[in-house]
Each structure stands twice: as structure tokens, then as C-alpha cells.
Amino acid sequence: MTHTGKAVFAKLASPYYPALTALFVGIMLISNIAATKAVVLFDDWLHFDLGPFHVNGLVTDGAFFLFPLSYVIGDVISEVYGFRAMRRTIASGFAVIVLASLCFWVAIELPAADFYDGQSGFESVLGTVPRIVAAGLAGYVVGELLNSFVLVKMKERAGERHLWARLIGSTVVGEFFDTLVFCSIAATAIGISTWSDFINYVVIGFVWKTLVEVVVMPITYAVVRYLKRAEPSYAEALADVSRVTSDVP
């Protein structure tokens, strides 16, 4: 692929962009529900003290294995379709998650049938969702916007080069603020009550999500490469920039 110093993006009139947006929104919706469960990993052997903080296992939530994929998809959308397209995707996710939260609230408030014995369990899981949703919305709006903004700005400087640097650099910025905002709001909703557990929750979440980006980077590269070749408008934009660049004396 030709290297240029100017960022180019595909047009949104594409069968791929809606599919990526749907997958992104689905992951966000599932993650907001799964995140209502507090999880502690390796608590049978991972114990150490770091100053005033005590680590007893890795504190996370039930969405730790899924949520990082939203950033992978966000990177793909930002790299191929641009910041404006990612803003549309974020807005779509925001609307769907708010709708889901309202529907869960209505379902909880509806009178339970006499033969239904799952009301308490239903409330205990979905009743915490509004706060998790608020945390998720605040975190992912801040994090995804920063992730997309940083990636696009780096692309404007490097053109098609150094995709790995854009993926890692944007993820570090986006995931840090996403994790910090989300954990600050959601911690008490899933039962975290000490500073040690909170810092554990934030650090583990940030490190884990960043590592996932690095591990799946070959897949991200392959998807980005495929879309850039499959999108006619991307190839046309790249050719136009190359033509203009070659014409400059």
C-alpha cells in the first residue's frame, strides 16, 4: 500500500461500517450487563502488599474478557472510516444502552406474577445496571472519543505508516481514562469498598485491556488491511492523495 503523509478514510456508504457498528454496540450492551458481577481471579495464591495497599487476587468484573474488544473495533473504525464515523458509532451505542437501562428498570418495576420466584435474583442482577450503565456510558464516551481522536491525529502525521504505534498509543490513552472513569462510578455498585480493591480494580482493568490490544494486534492489522482493500472509496482517496503528492515539485 502506498505511504502518504496525509490521512485518508473510506466513505460511510459501505456494507462493512454498519456491521462493525452493530458488533460494537452489541459488545457494549453485553459488557454493561456482565460487568454487574464482581470477579476475583487467582485469590488462592496471589497475595502481596504494596505500601498501604493489600492485593488479594485480581479484582475485576464479569466483562473483563469481552469489553476490550470494543476498543479493537473502535480502532478499526477510526483507522478506516475516521473520527466522525466513530462519533456516530459511539452515539448509537449510547442510545441503545440508555434504552436497555430504561427497559430493565420498567421490567423490574412491573408486578411479578404469583408463580414467579425469580424477582429478587432479577433485581439483584439488573437492578445495579443503571449505575453500571452510567459508569459505562461516562467511561466509554470519554475513552472511545480520546482513543479515536488520538489515533486519527497520529494518522494525520504518519499517513499509512506506523499503524502499530497508533493502535497502542491511542489504546493507552483511551483505556486509561475509560477505566478510571468507569471504575470510579461502578466500584461501589459491584461491592468494592476499600482503596486497595479500588486501585487493584483500576490497575488490573487498564493493564488487561491494553494487553488484549497488543495480543490481538495481528488480527486488527488483518481486518484493517482487508477493509482498506475492500472499500473502493478508501483506495480512491489514497490514490488521489498519492497523485497530489507526486505532482508537488
Side-chain angles (χ1 to χ4, degrees), residues 105-185:
W105 174 75
V106 170
I108 289 172
E109 294 301 317
L110 289 173
D114 293 338
F115 56 82
Y116 178 68
D117 58 2
Q119 181 67 19
S120 60
F122 191 79
E123 291 181 8
S124 66
V125 174
L126 297 181
T128 58
V129 166
R131 184 179 293 184
I132 297 296
V133 167
L137 287 175
Y140 113 86
V141 167
V142 172
E144 290 287 358
L145 284 176
L146 284 174
N147 178 71
S148 180
F149 180 79
V150 171
L151 188 148
V152 169
K153 286 300 180 183
M154 292 179 70
K155 185 176 183 180
E156 289 176 353
R157 287 178 173 270
E160 297 298 307
R161 298 169 298 166
H162 309 314
L163 175 58
W164 65 269
R166 293 197 292 279
L167 296 177
I168 295 177
S170 62
T171 295
V172 168
V173 174
E175 289 287 14
F176 174 76
F177 285 99
D178 184 322
T179 305
L180 181 62
V181 172
F182 176 83
C183 293
S184 298
I185 300 173

Side-chain angles (χ1 to χ4, degrees), residues 2-97:
T2 305
H3 298 312
T4 74
K6 181 177 174 59
V8 300
F9 303 102
K11 296 178 181 178
L12 297 187
S14 157
Y16 301 104
Y17 172 70
L20 289 169
T21 296
L23 184 58
F24 177 90
V25 173
I27 288 174
M28 291 302 304
L29 182 59
I30 296 169
S31 294
N32 272 276
I33 299 172
T36 61
K37 178 178 179 177
V39 174
V40 179
L41 303 174
F42 314 121
D43 61 329
D44 55 340
W45 60 268
L46 185 60
H47 305 279
F48 63 90
D49 296 333
L50 188 61
F53 304 107
H54 311 287
V55 176
N56 297 303
L58 303 181
V59 180
T60 182
D61 56 55
F64 80 94
F65 61 93
L66 177 64
F67 179 75
L69 296 181
S70 67
Y71 271 78
V72 175
I73 298 173
D75 284 342
V76 171
I77 293 174
S78 299
E79 173 70 20
V80 179
Y81 300 97
F83 187 55
R84 181 177 298 179
M86 193 59 207
R87 289 206 311 266
R88 287 191 181 187
T89 301
I90 292 171
S92 298
F94 187 96
V96 170
I97 294 170

